[in-house]
Amino acid sequence: MSPSASSDEEDHNEAPTEAKRSKKGDAAVDDSNVLYHPVKLSRSDLYRPPTAEELNQLKEAESLFHCNLLKMQMEELLKEVALSERRKKLIDSFVQRVTKLLEAVPETAEVEISDLSWLSGSAKVPFLLLPQVTKGKFHMAPPSSVDPIGSYPLGTCIKPHVVVDLAVTIPANVLHPKDVVNQRYPRKRALYLAGLAQYLASFSDLGPMRYSCLHGNRLRPVLLLIPPGKDSRSSFTVRLHACPPPGFFKPSRFHPLRNNIRTEWYTGLQTSNSEGIEPPTPHYNSSILGDLLPKAHLQFLSAVSSQCPAFADGVALLKVWLRQRELHQGAGCFNGFLASMLLAYLLITHRISNTMTAYQLLRNSLNFLASTDLTVNGVSVAKDPDSSAPSLAEFHSAFQVVFVDPSGHLNMCADMTACTYKQLQHEASVSMQFWDDPTVDGFYSLLMTPKPMIRTSDHVFQLCELVKLQSSCKKLNLLSELMDHSGDYIHTTLPLILSLLQQGLGQRIQLLTHSLCPDPEWSVSNEPPKYKTQPPISFGLLLRPELATSVLERGPPADSPKAAEFRQLWGSRSELRRFQDGAITEAVLWEGESMCQKRLIPKQIITHVLKLHADIPESCLRYVGATVDDVIKKGSEVPSTGEEESLVVVQAFDDLSRKLWALEDLPLSITSVQGAHPALRYTQVFPPVPLKLDFSYFDREKKSKSLVPSKDKPCPVYITPITVICHMEGSGKWPHDRFAIRHIRAAFHIRMGELLKKHHNYSYKPCPTHLDVWKDGLAFRIQVAYHREPQVLRESLTAEGMLVVRDNEEAQALEMATIHKPLLTSTLHGLQQQNPCFGAVCRLAKRWLAAQLFSDDITEDTADLLVASLFLQPAPFTPPGSPQVGFLRFLCLLSTFDWRNNPLVVNLNNQLTGTDYTEIKNAFMASRESLPVMFIATPKDTKQSMWTKRAPSIQLHVLGCKQSHSFPILEPLLSAHWSPGSHCNDGLKKTSLSTFGKENVRF
């Protein structure tokens, strides 16, 4: 979702005008089809001398930004996400009303914690009471104070999801100093929220109320108040936190190595531990400690932000960056509070200056995240922690990621997994790589492009039926961890599952990510949802293409100490093997003959490892990357996706090329042999398959002795000729007449055929325009080319005998066939060697275009260039590593690219510089009306867009309407949370077939 997506009317009224549009039909013109023109200024405004402030801004723009445009884009984004004054007044008014009501909460009689008779049916306790019984007394009383906390009083609250936090302090007489033991405090906290919900439910002017959990932590429920009104939910939400009085509990009680959940109480069984040593409960401890410190954190951040004028804007930009990468909410997220603390840490440690702009704060924050591994070297915001505060080493022994708060006692990243932080690091590193790249639109890629997992990760799979993770806890013996997470078996097993996946996939992946469990929400009149109702967990794999499809997992030597660990990891799949170098090592061999099967080797590894170690059956796993392959296998006997067929064609061409180079009895030597067919760059939808001709289906023609289909037999299979361009050396012997050149070329065709027949016994058929050669069951169509022939076609003599040079379609067609297409084929062939899935993505894209009846408008060469742009300019992503993710990005490109106002630059071989990009953009804007609808620029074609000059001729919004049927359906279905065998799974396969047509899908 774009950060500017907001439904507030007043914010739309306050938005500045972006540019002047054409006067014709302003109100009815869709934004995607608007052609923007420069704003016209009066002569006095145009030549007015700049003020001192404007000169300073220009100097800052020159030193900090690529151009003044990026600076303005940042400023406009900050204006767009900032809260309007009207909304602030509404928030303040509603908060005052809620505060006044909370101060009048009636008291109730003291009862046992387990006694819920004082609650009516209008409000339930937002806590899973397991075990049901615990010691302690409870009664309702008015809160000691109601204070705003979080981003709103700090000034870092941004749209579109505006949440205002209020800390409702529980009176000291409701709590007891020993309530930290055995969930007494969390239960009293939940009871207090239930009492507030029951009381506030009687006031209709407060709107609907719901429960939720703070960042998915079931120990920290919150009460959501939504102001009444038509668009109340899109306006803002007030979130009530029940907190103990500051300093009520000693922070030393929450040391990460201390225990506050007794095993005997939790299990209900007598423990056999004679020494009485209880396991530590660091996550439980940090949950309670987090309730003690919100006011202290607000004071600390307010003091730091007051010294840095751009602090709030820097946090806002960092929040937008996190939101686009789906890291800002959910269990173990890097939320806005952590973003504020990160900037505060960088300021107090003098890594950034108080005088820096928001742009510089964002840049330095991402640089810190990219270069600092908090899973190994944690950091602390505390300057002088007291002696009872844990050390960083103690924090690391209990948590995977360590970022300590100003008190020195709380690890603010306690719930974050190492994989989530590695993902954060990776995203920051990728952002820094393209930040200074002048060929990339840094602002759009950095802050305006959403990065959902389904389009970011090469492979995605989901863990369904989460209730079965309870058996995983038993098999992995995770009772201590289960107590620490208060029965949350999902977050208990997740770190172990991630560790198993990391070990199993090893060097095959660059990055392993997982979805962050969303914050549950439910009505105050309902019981809290159980853990099994949580949506499936999605896992994303960023592959290493050179290793991901390897069928062999080679382990340590048999006599190595690590051999036992290897056998323990792989179980019965591990076996001793002797290799050609004489080594005898442990090894695992995976099934995979075709590329289609090899691409799914990660699926085999994941299924085996999770079943062996975590007792997770294959039925609980849904591998999204296998969906299209399942469709392919249904339509073909052999599970193939075209790679093998393309490789056979390329190998046959390479052999033919070598033999053409070796021909010696030609009048002129050959200077180059280049393919000019999609199959030679691995992008043909259905590559030619070697055939063995059955001559009984043919008759021989009497005059030319050619084979023609027999009238009495079925029509033989069509044989696709593979075009090969053979350039001959320049010589003064070449004539300057177009017809004479054609005769010379025909003579070369005859001579080549004779030599190939003589030396290699190839069947051939010479023609004036080409030479057909039959080799290895494939038909190669060789065309001799002379590099000056297009120029000869452009020359003509006038009646007066003057030589005139005029461009014409015949010369352009010949130049395209003999120069540009071979160059494109060889360039894209190189791209395929660097990115093994490039060809598969092209075939999927072209198959989709054919199914949508766009093959005549988007040619094969154009489609290949569109896909190539996804690999050459992938920002903010990395180049696609699987056909599925590449195809989704292809649909997204067609859906979102503004063809009317921007050229698509395909930087083949990285030949274009930032200056070239600027020149292409300026020339495009100056001549837009005369250029093709879809303008694609390449290093050899920066001004004309030869590949789209003739097609498409229709307005691209028609194409957008066509593809919009596929992209919004495919992406949600692929990333949806459903279990195997459900109707959604069947719907996906039906959608896939309808999207690609009813023929056999093969890519």
Side-chain angles (χ1 to χ4, degrees):
M1 179 178 181
S2 171
S4 62
S6 176
S7 59
D8 255 3
E9 293 183 4
E10 80 277 8
D11 296 324
H12 288 294
N13 295 333
E14 293 172 5
T17 303
E18 292 184 353
K20 184 180 287 185
R21 300 181 179 178
S22 54
K23 296 180 181 178
K24 201 168 162 184
D26 267 350
V29 177
D30 183 49
D31 285 344
S32 60
N33 298 314
V34 172
L35 180 62
Y36 290 91
H37 298 281
V39 177
K40 294 183 179 179
L41 300 175
S42 65
R43 186 177 182 83
S44 59
D45 290 336
L46 189 61
Y47 294 100
R48 178 174 53 84
T51 63
E53 182 181 355
E54 289 173 337
L55 286 173
N56 288 332
Q57 291 178 353
L58 290 172
K59 185 177 180 181
E60 180 186 87
E62 183 180 357
S63 60
L64 299 181
F65 302 88
H66 293 319
C67 61
N68 200 38
L69 176 62
L70 180 56
K71 179 176 182 292
M72 291 189 293
Q73 288 172 324
M74 292 277 191
E75 291 173 351
E76 288 302 315
L77 174 62
L78 289 172
K79 291 177 184 178
E80 187 70 20
V81 300
L83 301 185
S84 65
E85 291 300 322
R86 181 174 178 271
R87 184 181 288 196
K88 288 180 181 179
K89 291 178 181 179
L90 290 174
I91 292 174
D92 293 338
S93 175
F94 187 75
V95 167
Q96 290 176 5
R97 169 65 174 159
V98 172
T99 302
K100 186 176 181 181
L101 291 176
L102 291 176
E103 291 172 350
V105 172
E107 291 198 31
T108 62
E110 190 173 73
V111 295
E112 293 289 333
I113 290 180
S114 56
D115 184 4
L116 306 180
S117 59
W118 59 278
L119 279 174
S120 64
S122 61
K124 301 292 185 180
V125 181
F127 197 87
L128 292 174
L129 301 175
L130 295 173
Q132 290 188 351
V133 180
T134 188
K135 296 179 181 179
K137 303 283 187 178
F138 176 80
H139 71 279
M140 281 298 298
S144 301
S145 63
V146 180
D147 305 293
I149 57 173
S151 60
Y152 183 71
L154 188 61
T156 59
C157 187
I158 64 171
K159 297 184 295 185
H161 304 298
V162 180
V163 178
V164 181
D165 296 288
L166 292 181
V168 181
T169 305
I170 304 174
N173 60 357
V174 176
L175 303 174
H176 190 276
K178 292 186 178 181
D179 281 347
V180 297
V181 179
N182 294 344
Q183 297 183 1
R184 294 174 196 168
Y185 164 73
R187 297 189 183 206
K188 286 187 177 182
R189 184 185 190 280
L191 288 170
Y192 196 81
L193 283 177
L196 295 180
Q198 178 176 264
Y199 166 69
L200 295 175
S202 59
F203 299 95
S204 58
D205 58 336
L206 292 183
M209 290 186 296
R210 296 179 67 81
Y211 287 131
S212 184
C213 295
L214 187 63
H215 309 311
N217 190 340
R218 294 297 188 95
L219 290 175
R220 304 181 71 181
V222 291
L223 179 61
L224 305 180
L225 304 181
I226 304 168
K230 187 176 181 181
D231 297 325
S232 58
R233 193 59 187 268
S234 61
S235 179
F236 63 91
T237 301
V238 173
R239 189 163 57 185
L240 300 185
H241 305 252
C243 302
F248 187 83
F249 299 122
K250 293 181 180 180
S252 59
R253 291 293 304 268
F254 306 104
H255 193 286
L257 301 183
R258 291 196 61 169
N259 172 275
N260 283 306
I261 299 286
R262 306 296 185 252
T263 305
E264 184 176 340
W265 171 81
Y266 186 81
T267 62
L269 303 173
Q270 293 289 336
T271 59
S272 58
N273 188 353
S274 59
E275 298 180 0
I277 299 177
E278 294 281 357
T281 54
H283 290 89
Y284 174 82
N285 296 349
S286 65
S287 297
I288 300 179
L289 188 57
D291 282 346
L292 280 172
L293 301 171
K295 295 180 183 178
H297 289 159
L298 177 61
Q299 293 173 0
F300 170 78
L301 292 173
S302 299
V304 173
S305 63
S306 63
Q307 300 174 9
C308 180
F311 181 87
D313 288 343
V315 172
L317 290 178
L318 191 53
K319 281 185 173 182
V320 173
W321 182 85
L322 290 166
R323 181 188 302 145
Q324 299 292 27
R325 285 146 185 82
E326 299 184 345
L327 291 168
H328 66 298
Q329 63 182 2
C333 64
F334 198 92
N335 51 60
F337 167 67
L338 288 175
S340 302
M341 276 296 181
L342 175 63
L343 278 183
Y345 168 75
L346 296 177
L347 283 168
I348 66 174
T349 55
H350 307 293
R351 295 171 184 257
I352 55 178
S353 169
N354 291 329
T355 60
M356 285 184 174
T357 63
Y359 170 91
Q360 292 172 303
L361 294 180
L362 175 63
R363 183 186 179 94
N364 282 274
S365 299
L366 296 183
N367 185 57
F368 173 81
L369 290 173
S371 58
T372 307
D373 190 355
L374 296 184
T375 64
V376 179
N377 300 309
V379 297
S380 175
V381 186
K383 285 187 175 181
D384 299 308
D386 58 59
S387 58
S388 63
S391 65
L392 289 178
E394 290 174 323
F395 276 118
H396 275 294
S397 66
F399 304 106
Q400 294 189 350
V401 186
V402 176
F403 185 25
V404 183
D405 81 321
S407 72
H409 290 272
L410 175 64
N411 178 21
M412 297 178 287
C413 293
D415 295 329
M416 186 180 296
T417 64
C419 287
T420 299
Y421 186 78
K422 292 294 184 182
Q423 179 186 2
L424 182 68
Q425 262 196 308
H426 169 79
E427 293 291 352
S429 177
V430 171
S431 297
M432 293 303 296
Q433 288 175 14
F434 66 75
W435 189 304
D436 290 326
D437 188 349
T439 65
V440 175
D441 186 347
F443 174 76
Y444 187 82
S445 300
L446 194 72
L447 298 171
M448 300 299 291
T449 305
K451 295 189 64 177
M453 179 183 289
I454 195 68
R455 265 187 284 141
T456 303
S457 301
D458 297 325
H459 283 195
V460 176
F461 71 95
Q462 292 177 334
L463 185 58
C464 310
E465 299 181 43
L466 299 180
V467 68
K468 294 188 177 180
L469 291 180
Q470 296 182 61
S471 61
S472 301
C473 289
K474 295 179 180 178
K475 184 163 187 175
L476 296 169
N477 194 22
L478 299 179
L479 176 60
S480 300
E481 291 80 1
L482 191 63
M483 288 195 307
D484 185 23
H485 287 86
S486 300
D488 187 348
Y489 50 84
I490 297 173
H491 290 99
T492 300
T493 55
L494 182 59
L496 275 297
I497 290 174
L498 293 171
S499 177
L500 287 171
L501 294 175
Q502 286 278 18
Q503 294 178 58
L505 295 168
Q507 295 299 312
R508 297 176 186 268
I509 61 172
Q510 301 179 48
L511 185 68
L512 170 64
T513 64
H514 64 91
S515 61
L516 304 178
C517 302
D519 302 342
E521 282 191 26
W522 66 98
S523 172
V524 295
S525 60
N526 294 339
E527 296 288 346
K530 297 183 178 180
Y531 297 116
K532 65 181 180 181
T533 62
Q534 182 175 303
I537 303 175
S538 298
F539 297 85
L541 309 180
L542 198 62
L543 303 176
R544 284 192 174 93
E546 66 276 10
L547 299 175
T549 56
S550 174
V551 297
L552 183 67
E553 193 80 32
R554 185 167 175 174
D559 56 353
S560 170
K562 295 184 178 180
E565 297 178 8
F566 188 86
R567 288 192 294 270
Q568 193 274 335
L569 175 63
W570 298 111
S572 59
R573 293 301 298 259
S574 177
E575 56 186 9
L576 282 177
R577 283 182 171 266
R578 184 184 181 91
F579 294 89
Q580 292 181 351
D581 59 0
I584 301 176
T585 68
E586 296 286 345
V588 176
L589 186 66
W590 303 103
E591 294 80 10
E593 297 180 4
S594 66
M595 183 54 70
C596 170
Q597 295 170 329
K598 291 179 180 179
R599 193 176 288 124
L600 293 178
I601 285 178
K603 178 186 178 183
Q604 298 181 46
I605 295 173
I606 291 166
T607 303
H608 175 73
V609 169
L610 293 184
K611 173 61 179 175
L612 178 64
H613 295 283
D615 199 24
I616 298 175
E618 186 177 358
S619 60
C620 293
L621 299 175
R622 177 182 168 271
Y623 209 83
V624 181
T627 305
V628 180
D629 292 287
D630 290 340
V631 177
I632 295 167
K633 292 176 185 179
K634 279 191 173 184
S636 59
E637 297 179 0
V638 180
S640 174
T641 53
E643 280 92 343
E644 290 76 23
E645 292 88 341
S646 297
L647 183 60
V648 170
V649 174
V650 171
Q651 290 173 342
F653 165 75
D654 290 341
D655 185 56
L656 177 62
S657 176
R658 285 191 294 268
K659 291 174 179 176
L660 287 173
W661 278 103
L663 295 179
E664 296 180 351
D665 297 333
L666 292 172
L668 295 175
S669 61
I670 297 174
T671 58
S672 72
V673 178
Q674 294 177 293
H677 191 273
L680 298 178
R681 56 188 187 237
Y682 299 86
T683 64
Q684 182 76 15
V685 177
F686 298 105
V689 179
L691 298 173
K692 186 175 181 180
L693 294 180
D694 186 350
F695 292 97
S696 64
Y697 283 77
F698 298 88
D699 294 330
R700 189 172 295 276
E701 204 269 335
K702 294 182 179 180
K703 292 183 179 180
S704 63
K705 304 299 182 181
S706 299
L707 294 177
V708 295
S710 174
K711 295 181 180 180
D712 303 327
K713 296 290 182 72
C715 182
V717 66
Y718 170 71
I719 301 173
T720 304
I722 302 166
T723 306
V724 178
I725 305 298
C726 187
H727 280 269
M728 310 304 294
E729 68 174 330
S731 171
K733 298 179 181 179
W734 280 99
H736 294 281
D737 179 75
R738 65 179 67 187
F739 298 106
I741 291 175
R742 291 172 185 171
H743 290 139
I744 296 294
R745 287 198 289 111
F748 270 113
H749 292 151
I750 296 172
R751 183 58 179 160
M752 277 186 182
E754 293 173 347
L755 292 174
L756 289 173
K757 177 68 175 179
K758 176 182 177 181
H759 295 295
H760 307 289
N761 197 30
Y762 289 161
S763 300
Y764 70 97
K765 173 67 177 178
C767 298
T769 57
H770 59 268
L771 167 67
D772 285 339
V773 176
W774 184 256
K775 180 186 184 305
D776 300 335
L778 298 169
F780 288 92
R781 178 159 291 175
I782 301 174
Q783 298 178 10
V784 170
Y786 172 44
H787 69 280
R788 289 201 72 255
E789 186 175 1
Q791 181 65 21
V792 172
L793 293 177
R794 292 186 176 95
E795 296 174 353
S796 62
L797 290 175
T798 64
E800 293 79 13
M802 295 182 62
L803 182 64
V804 179
V805 179
R806 290 192 182 94
D807 200 7
N808 55 74
E809 291 189 3
E810 185 181 8
Q812 291 176 359
L814 181 62
E815 202 169 49
M816 175 69 78
T818 61
I819 297 176
H820 297 300
K821 282 193 175 183
L823 179 60
L824 178 67
T825 298
S826 61
T827 303
L828 296 184
H829 177 85
L831 186 61
Q832 164 68 25
Q833 302 307 309
Q834 298 173 355
N835 302 275
C837 72
F838 167 73
V841 178
C842 288
R843 290 194 294 278
L844 272 176
K846 287 190 276 193
R847 190 67 189 90
W848 176 84
L849 288 169
Q852 307 301 321
L853 305 181
F854 271 101
S855 296
D856 293 336
D857 296 293
I858 309 295
T859 64
E860 287 203 51
D861 298 326
T862 302
D864 290 347
L865 284 171
L866 289 172
V867 175
S869 70
L870 303 174
F871 289 84
L872 296 171
Q873 292 95 25
F877 304 95
T878 54
S882 69
Q884 170 192 296
V885 70
F887 176 63
L888 284 177
R889 291 186 200 173
F890 170 78
L891 293 181
C892 184
L893 173 69
L894 295 183
S895 173
T896 60
F897 193 82
D898 184 7
W899 296 102
R900 189 71 183 269
N901 295 291
N902 290 290
L904 179 66
V905 182
V906 185
N907 194 0
L908 298 171
N909 291 330
N910 201 27
Q911 294 177 330
L912 298 175
T913 64
T915 304
D916 297 328
Y917 271 71
T918 303
E919 292 176 354
I920 291 171
K921 176 72 174 179
N922 293 340
F924 171 83
M925 295 301 294
S927 308
R928 182 65 190 101
E929 298 298 339
S930 61
L931 293 174
V933 175
M934 178 185 286
F935 187 92
I936 300 178
T938 61
K940 301 295 183 182
D941 174 34
T942 59
K943 296 181 180 179
Q944 299 298 324
S945 186
M946 68 175 79
W947 306 103
T948 59
K949 196 171 184 178
R950 293 174 176 80
S953 59
I954 58 173
Q955 293 294 326
L956 277 192
H957 72 268
V958 177
L959 175 62
C961 292
K962 281 283 184 181
Q963 74 82 33
S964 64
H965 173 72
S966 298
F967 181 60
I969 292 178
L970 273 180
E971 186 174 64
L973 276 178
L974 287 172
S975 58
H977 298 136
W978 73 86
S979 59
S982 68
H983 295 295
C984 286
N985 207 17
D986 297 334
L988 172 61
K989 295 188 177 181
K990 292 177 182 178
T991 305
S992 301
L993 288 171
S994 63
T995 301
F996 292 102
K998 294 183 179 180
E999 300 178 27
N1000 297 344
V1001 182
R1002 186 171 69 173
F1003 65 93

